[in-house]
Structures are given as structure tokens and as C-alpha cells.
Amino acid sequence: MQELNRSIILNMIREYGPISRSDIAKRKQISPTTVASAVKELIQAGLVCEDGAGASNGGRKPIMLRISPENRFLIGVSVTNYTITVAEINLEANIRKTHTVDVAADPAHGEQIVQLLLDSIAAFIAQIPYMDRCIGISISVPGIVDNYRGIVYYNSKLNWHNVALKDIIENSFQLKTWIENDMNAMVLAEKKFGQYSKFRNLLYVHAGGGIGAGIVVNDEILRGARGGAGEFGHTSVDRNGIRCECGNVGCLETCVNWDAVRAKLQAAAASDRSSALWSLTNGKLADIRPSDFSAALNVGDPAAMTVMNETLEYLGAGIVNMVNLFNPDVVILGGKLLYGNDVMIDSIKSYVRERALQFSIQSMEVHPSSLGDNAELIGAASILLQDVFRFSLT
């Protein structure tokens, strides 16, 4: 109970600070003595500091309290199917510094990628002389994840099966560790640190190296029976399509992940040297980046438009299905294929509004991710911070 009260009070200060001890006691109906004791511990721990005197209501001016975001920090780790990024992040989810290693360039799989993760964290930590101020390690990872036990049950690209990642990390670094599915982490981050806190029902769609979705229903993350909810990329969209790494045929991910889109762009530009894609890459079509795709769409390049329309038929249809299933207040579009790609985002908006159930979308909004390129790391941070501050999604 004492720890719970401390976390509740800490979150009150985070949300409403500067705030006085008496205001905390009144708002949460906690005794002033309990508040004073908890605040004393939080100040000693370096999590909270006094911030001068507030306005008087007739008596002595109250001493105001606020979070000390720089006195403590966390190690946030974003694992994707292609990279591992380790970051130092403060208590307001602000990223101080990062280091990224390439997974795609390494032929390692399974246990070797776990070792690469351990090595990456160890190398990063070795450069930090004040690790005594670290409150833990928080990791977001694609795949089916048991966030409570910290087990990655399945990830086809990383070849992870029943990997007890939480135990592995904690045993290696003696730091408390949190593990969460990357899409759940990102929709949590959009809700708590992004621009979408007012919504109770959110659908976060991520299109990049893989395709996934994070779903919040009535202010609760939808996880499913074993953490498998939101595997949007493994919904079937083409019964005559290619075989996916998951074993199924015609998964959405095989049609619209960045690798698939880039291959189509390369083929289209190779047959038309007047394409903007050719000039943007100086003829090095193997180097096409998402920003090149976006730039080509902005000038109406026919090759880029053709690929976008083909992609939209799959991705747009998938989003319509999700909208009709979950009736969200807002659809958030993220990932390197979509972020900054205004033409494609506008096309998705139009596609959804034309094809989804009209009653369901009357007040629904569609927006790009408010966290941009940092969504994955802020998502990783939000996992730990949610537990430390014990904030809810309401």
C-alpha cells in the first residue's frame, strides 16, 4: 500500500506539477501525513524536487513540487526486424542519446540475435558513468509477447520462439526489465506522450519493415489471450499470394512492407528513366528510401503513384476491416512507409472514408503519428514509465 501510494503521488506530481502537498492530499483523498512521508521518500530518491512557493489561500504559502526528470533515467531499447536501437531516456520520455546496430546486415538468427542485443546494451551502458541513477531497462520488440512474464513467444523474422527475454536481460545486467510488444508500446506512447490522450479508442497502424497494429479499446490495450492481438500484418489479403515467414500464404505484410514496396518502386523506375525516382537516387535504385518515395509522390511521379495505388488496395482494405471491427475514435498512421508521406496518408484517409461503414466513421479522425521517428523508442520508454508512475490510460 505504501508503494502504491508513492506511485500515485508521483504520477500526480508528473501530471499536475507544480502542485502542493495539500492539493495532492485533497485530490486523491490521501491523508496529509501519508503524502508528506511519500514526498520525502521521492525527494530523497531524486524523483521529485521542491519548486518554490505557490499562491497563498489565506495562510502560509505552500511549497510546490515537480518531477525531476533529469535525476533518473532509463535504458530504452527498440528491437525491430532489422535494427536494435539503445537509448538513454529521461523520466519525461525525452531521448538523450542513442546507438543503433544493424540486424539485417548480420546473418545471425535466434540465439545469436539475443547475444547481439546483450552486446549492444552492454556496450551502451559501458559509456555511461552514472548508471547508479538508472531505474531499469525497457524493451519493445515485434512479435507475440507476454508482457507480464517478459517472454517473446514468437517472431518469425528474428527466429525467436519462447525466448524468456526479461529473465535473460535481468540476469545479465541486474536491472529491472520490462518487455512489451512494439505496437502496444507505440499506441501507449501516442496516448500518454503524444497528441491523442483525449481518445478512448485508438487504432495505431504501423507500416515499415513489418506491418502491425496497436489497439486501445475503452482505454485498455487489447492484448488477446496470449498477447497475439494486433498481428495486422498476418491477416490474409491474397489467397494467391506468396508464402509468408509465418507459414501462411498472402499475408498483408508480404504485400505492403517496405521491402515489398521498394522492390516495386525499383522495377517501375528501372523501366522509366524519366521517373523522379531515377533522379532522386542518381540512378542507384537499390538506394531508394521512404523519403524518395514520398518526394516522388509529391511531384506526381507516375511510377510512384502506380506503386502507391497498388499498395493502397491492400493496406487501405486492411485498415477498413480494422475500422469496421473496432470502431476507433482515431486511426494513427506510423512507420517509415507512412510517416512524412502526406500524399499516401491523404490517400488512405480518402480510401477509408469511401469504404468503411459510414456510421462508424462519422466522428472518427485519421492522423499521422505525433511521435515521428522517435515513436519506437518513446514507446519503449512508456512501458517502464507506465509502471513506475502507475498511470492508467484514462
Side-chain angles (χ1 to χ4, degrees):
M1 182 60 69
Q2 183 178 2
E3 183 181 348
L4 177 61
N5 283 334
R6 190 164 55 245
S7 293
I8 290 171
I9 291 166
L10 180 60
N11 190 45
M12 279 288 295
I13 298 169
R14 182 189 70 87
E15 285 197 42
Y16 301 107
I19 186 172
S20 69
R21 292 167 175 83
S22 59
D23 280 346
I24 296 171
K26 290 174 185 176
R27 289 194 188 205
K28 286 299 179 181
Q29 296 184 331
I30 301 173
S31 75
T33 302
T34 299
V35 172
S37 176
V39 167
K40 181 179 179 181
E41 291 178 9
L42 292 171
I43 290 175
Q44 289 174 344
L47 295 171
V48 168
C49 66
E50 295 183 335
D51 194 35
S56 171
N57 291 322
R60 180 184 299 176
K61 290 184 178 181
I63 301 299
M64 308 304 284
L65 305 165
R66 64 173 175 83
I67 289 291
S68 298
E70 303 300 334
N71 281 345
R72 291 286 187 270
F73 71 96
L74 63 98
I75 299 296
V77 184
S78 167
V79 179
T80 75
N81 295 325
Y82 302 95
T83 59
I84 295 170
T85 301
V86 187
E88 180 186 333
I89 305 174
N90 77 2
L91 299 188
E92 292 181 334
N94 293 321
I95 299 166
R96 292 172 173 171
K97 57 186 175 184
T98 67
H99 180 69
T100 300
V101 295
D102 192 351
V103 173
D106 193 316
H109 289 285
E111 292 182 2
Q112 295 178 34
I113 294 180
V114 173
Q115 188 59 53
L116 179 62
L117 173 60
L118 293 173
D119 292 344
S120 300
I121 296 172
F124 190 84
I125 287 176
Q127 304 301 312
I128 301 176
Y130 40 84
M131 279 301 297
D132 58 309
R133 290 159 49 192
C134 180
I135 61 175
I137 299 174
S138 192
I139 303 176
S140 70
V141 59
I144 298 176
V145 177
D146 181 333
N147 71 304
Y148 181 74
R149 297 171 62 196
I151 297 174
V152 181
Y153 286 126
Y154 178 71
N155 180 299
S156 58
K157 286 188 171 65
L158 299 179
N159 194 24
W160 283 0
H161 302 271
N162 298 315
V163 177
L165 198 57
K166 174 182 170 69
D167 289 345
I168 291 170
I169 300 296
E170 288 186 341
N171 290 335
S172 297
F173 300 104
Q174 285 72 56
L175 285 167
K176 188 173 181 181
T177 300
W178 289 255
I179 310 291
E180 178 62 278
N181 167 269
D182 56 351
M183 297 300 116
N184 290 344
M186 281 188 270
V187 75
L188 173 63
E190 292 285 359
K191 175 78 169 162
K192 297 309 298 186
F193 298 102
Q195 298 175 3
Y196 304 111
S197 60
K198 68 178 181 179
F199 298 105
R200 298 193 65 208
N201 300 279
L202 298 83
L203 171 61
Y204 177 88
V205 173
H206 182 93
I211 309 298
I215 306 162
V216 170
V217 177
N218 293 329
D219 285 322
E220 295 286 343
I221 292 177
L222 182 65
R223 299 183 186 279
R226 299 190 68 207
E231 288 296 314
F232 182 44
H234 294 294
T235 53
S236 298
V237 295
D238 185 0
R239 57 193 255 175
N240 298 313
I242 65 174
R243 185 167 296 279
C244 179
E245 290 173 334
C246 75
N248 192 16
V249 172
C251 287
L252 179 63
E253 184 159 310
T254 65
C255 304
V256 301
N257 70 45
W258 171 241
D259 286 345
V261 172
R262 180 172 55 193
K264 293 175 184 177
L265 291 170
Q266 290 167 345
S271 62
D272 180 10
R273 293 201 173 192
S274 66
S275 169
L277 291 165
W278 189 273
S279 59
L280 285 166
T281 61
N282 294 317
K284 298 178 180 178
L285 299 181
D287 296 336
I288 291 177
R289 300 165 298 173
S291 58
D292 298 323
F293 182 32
S294 178
L297 289 174
N298 284 335
V299 297
D301 178 70
M305 293 297 293
T306 296
V307 172
M308 184 195 73
N309 290 331
E310 290 176 1
T311 304
L312 189 63
E313 286 302 315
Y314 292 110
L315 182 58
I319 294 174
V320 166
N321 288 338
M322 295 285 275
V323 166
N324 290 344
L325 280 169
F326 296 105
N327 189 203
D329 298 313
V330 61
V331 177
I332 305 166
L333 303 174
K336 62 183 178 183
L337 177 62
L338 299 177
Y339 186 72
N341 193 336
D342 294 339
V343 174
M344 191 161 185
I345 286 176
D346 288 342
S347 297
I348 290 172
K349 289 181 182 179
S350 299
Y351 190 103
V352 171
R353 297 207 176 277
E354 288 172 7
R355 292 167 173 80
L357 289 171
Q358 293 304 299
F359 179 81
S360 297
I361 63 172
Q362 284 179 0
S363 60
M364 187 189 78
E365 300 179 22
V366 182
H367 298 291
S369 167
S370 63
L371 302 176
D373 292 338
N374 291 326
E376 290 166 341
L377 283 174
I378 297 175
S382 68
I383 306 161
L384 184 157
L385 294 176
Q386 180 187 35
D387 195 29
V388 168
F389 291 114
R390 292 187 187 268
F391 58 64
S392 66
L393 293 187
T394 58

